[in-house]
Amino acid sequence: MKKHELPILSYKYDSLEPYIDAKTMEIHHSKYHQAYVDKLNLSLEKYPELFEKDLKELIKNLDSVPENIRIAVRNHGGGHLNHSLYWQIITPDEKERKFEGKIADEIKKTFGSFEEFRKKLTESALGVFGSGWAWLVVDNGKLEIVTTPNQDSPLSLGKIPILCIDVWEHSYYLRYQNRRSDYIDSFFNVINWKKANEIFEKN
Ligand code: MN3
């Protein structure tokens, strides 16, 4: 039986300063994400065979998950998956932050320009009521911006996540307090476009 584990970050908690502060990174990763992992593992203990399954497949097919743990898998499994992507699509590396590659071409084609894309993703992220996520996804081969409440994953809607902005307050409150828009502006400075391109090219 292979339990789910908190992914190790490839950079230090303070390396995204000043855009995302070290304390937020530390608590977000070591406390919040860890809690999703722990609660996911706890819920799956009743059905150990599910540890063998790819978590993405479970989230894609929530109906296949036993009803008494379905909400737990949706929330904590979603939380684990969503955060695992979030850590990957931010980076301290200037080279990885360059907006280029197929993803850049496709964004310009779909949204008209990077600025239009940025505006749309920002508006969507600001429009999430309460806690949730804003996403760039692929749906039937086309790029699209969507939002999800809580820890819901676009995978459950048949869409493939390319990048995500966590707009739960825990992801920005220490530095930005109520100023979600300042956090989103900062977030655009740390997007790992190299990784987003890799994910895009695989799908
Ligand atoms: Mn979070």
Side-chain angles (χ1 to χ4, degrees), residues 28 32 36 83 133 151 166 168 170-171:
H28 201 175
Y32 283 96
Y36 294 121
H83 286 87
W133 296 74
Q151 293 297 348
D166 187 345
W168 283 59
H170 66 226
S171 63

Side-chain angles (χ1 to χ4, degrees), residues 153-166:
S153 166
L155 288 172
S156 305
L157 308 168
K159 301 170 195 288
I160 300 154
I162 304 294
L163 70 83
C164 52
I165 309 180
D166 187 345

Side-chain angles (χ1 to χ4, degrees), residues 125-130 167 172 177-184:
L126 284 173
V128 174
F129 181 73
V167 291
Y172 61 87
Q177 290 83 49
N178 60 315
R179 303 185 308 278
R180 187 189 281 186
S181 65
D182 289 355
Y183 157 68
I184 296 165

Side-chain angles (χ1 to χ4, degrees), residues 52-53 87 178 202:
E52 307 306 321
K53 296 227 174 175
W87 309 126
N178 60 315
K202 265 190 264 163

Side-chain angles (χ1 to χ4, degrees), residues 28-42:
H28 201 175
H29 178 254
S30 71
K31 304 289 185 216
Y32 283 96
H33 190 168
Q34 183 71 60
Y36 294 121
V37 172
D38 293 344
K39 287 176 184 166
L40 172 65
N41 283 329
L42 195 66

